[in-house]
Amino acid sequence: MEEEKSLLRRIFGDSSDSEDKSEDKEDSIDDVGCQFTSHPNCPTWEPVNEIKGLWLCRDFLSPHQQSTLLSAIQNEGWFLEAPNNQAMRFGDLPSWAIELSNSIREVILYGDRIHEPPNCAGSDRGEAACWLPPDLLSREPFFDQLIANVYQPGEGICAHVDLMRFEDGIAIVSLESSCVMHFTQVGEVSGSGKEQPDLPMIKIPVFLIPGSLVLLFGDARYLWKHEINRKPGFQMWEGQEVNQKRRTSITLRKLCHAE
């Protein structure tokens, strides 16, 4: 247990034992909330303006935190055999995943915004109205389902909307390799159950760097499909093709409550 706690401290820092805590009792709640990360400043959020409910935090994890988190995943032994590239967990998550969930909630509460959308201006950051509605932010557990994926160069994910068995509010953490995730609007569904888009397909690219966090809720979660096509020619950003390496992703979701 002590070794596990030490691992978590290496990943996410040791905010409770800060030497300056006793001297800085007058610090604002924002400053205290930022102690969970090793960054000198609070991680910053930016909206993807074309998609309501899609937020990106590029500096969520420092390089050291990314490395230690990858070691924790490796220690699970999920990917020891070559064909295995995905692991799912439901209910009781590993301790490091619970700590990751808590850190996501904290950065939602205390992170800085890059841009202030009109409906967020003047709002209380403690309410996190622009990232997640209060009912989602306060749920317990925050997440109870995890998917870890390892993608080799050229491997990606097809366009999809996450299953309705999961609640609103989905978090995706990217590690190792940068990539471009594309979002496309869901078309109308005909009586046969097939999607019938009535407008030309518009793809919104989002550049994910190692250590970044993507948060989807509302329209972004239900009305937009997301995909990562890593075949040659599809991973383009600012006119340059992304240098593909192995990529690891962690997706955290909350199962819907069974009636």
Side-chain angles (χ1 to χ4, degrees):
M1 178 64 71
E2 189 60 34
E3 181 180 350
E4 187 177 67
K5 289 181 179 179
S6 176
L7 174 63
L8 296 178
R9 284 196 294 268
R10 291 200 303 273
I11 298 175
F12 300 104
D14 195 356
S15 61
S16 60
D17 296 326
S18 172
E19 295 178 358
D20 297 329
K21 185 175 181 181
S22 60
E23 299 177 6
D24 297 328
K25 292 183 180 179
E26 300 302 320
D27 284 351
S28 69
I29 191 170
D30 289 352
D31 294 330
V32 174
C34 292
Q35 291 176 5
F36 83 94
T37 177
S38 64
H39 295 284
N41 301 309
C42 278
T44 49
W45 287 97
E46 58 183 286
V48 177
N49 294 320
E50 298 90 341
I51 304 174
K52 184 178 180 182
L54 182 60
W55 287 86
L56 175 62
C57 183
R58 298 184 189 274
D59 53 351
F60 174 57
L61 294 177
S62 69
H64 174 71
Q65 290 168 331
Q66 296 169 46
S67 177
T68 314
L69 182 54
L70 283 166
S71 295
I73 296 171
Q74 183 177 3
N75 290 339
E76 295 289 345
W78 294 334
F79 309 117
L80 294 179
E81 298 182 10
N84 296 336
N85 62 1
Q86 184 181 83
M88 293 189 183
R89 290 297 179 269
F90 296 83
D92 294 333
L93 302 182
S95 297
W96 58 264
I98 295 173
E99 188 67 22
L100 182 63
S101 299
N102 293 336
S103 296
I104 291 172
R105 176 149 43 191
E106 288 191 25
V107 79
I108 292 172
L109 282 168
Y110 305 119
D112 284 336
R113 297 193 186 98
I114 292 179
H115 302 290
E116 291 279 1
N119 61 340
C120 296
S123 64
D124 183 354
R125 290 206 312 178
E127 295 178 2
C130 300
W131 288 281
L132 277 184
D135 60 323
L136 298 183
L137 190 60
S138 62
R139 67 191 180 189
E140 292 294 344
F142 192 31
F143 299 111
D144 59 9
Q145 197 270 338
L146 172 149
I147 301 179
N149 285 294
V150 175
Y151 303 99
Q152 299 302 327
E155 297 178 344
I157 53 175
C158 296
H160 70 284
V161 173
D162 283 36
L163 297 174
M164 295 301 109
R165 65 185 297 191
F166 300 108
E167 290 187 7
D168 200 358
I170 296 171
I172 303 171
V173 178
S174 291
L175 301 168
E176 295 190 279
S177 181
S178 297
C179 73
V180 180
M181 178 179 281
H182 286 96
F183 287 79
T184 53
Q185 262 187 306
V186 175
E188 293 186 6
V189 177
S190 68
S192 64
K194 294 184 178 180
E195 191 176 317
Q196 299 290 330
D198 54 357
L199 294 174
M201 192 73 68
I202 298 176
K203 288 193 174 186
I204 305 299
V206 178
F207 189 51
L208 306 181
I209 62 173
S212 62
L213 166 65
V214 174
L215 188 67
L216 299 86
F217 81 96
D219 287 4
R221 188 264 183 265
Y222 294 110
L223 302 182
W224 290 80
K225 295 181 290 186
H226 55 280
E227 67 177 310
I228 299 176
N229 188 337
R230 301 181 81 200
K231 295 179 181 178
F234 286 88
Q235 286 289 299
M236 303 294 297
W237 189 254
E238 295 183 345
Q240 300 292 323
E241 187 153 11
V242 177
N243 180 24
Q244 294 193 45
K245 302 176 184 177
R246 186 181 69 174
R247 176 177 179 265
T248 297
S249 70
I250 302 169
T251 301
L252 291 164
R253 304 181 289 197
K254 177 74 168 65
L255 284 161
C256 292
H257 177 68
E259 297 294 341

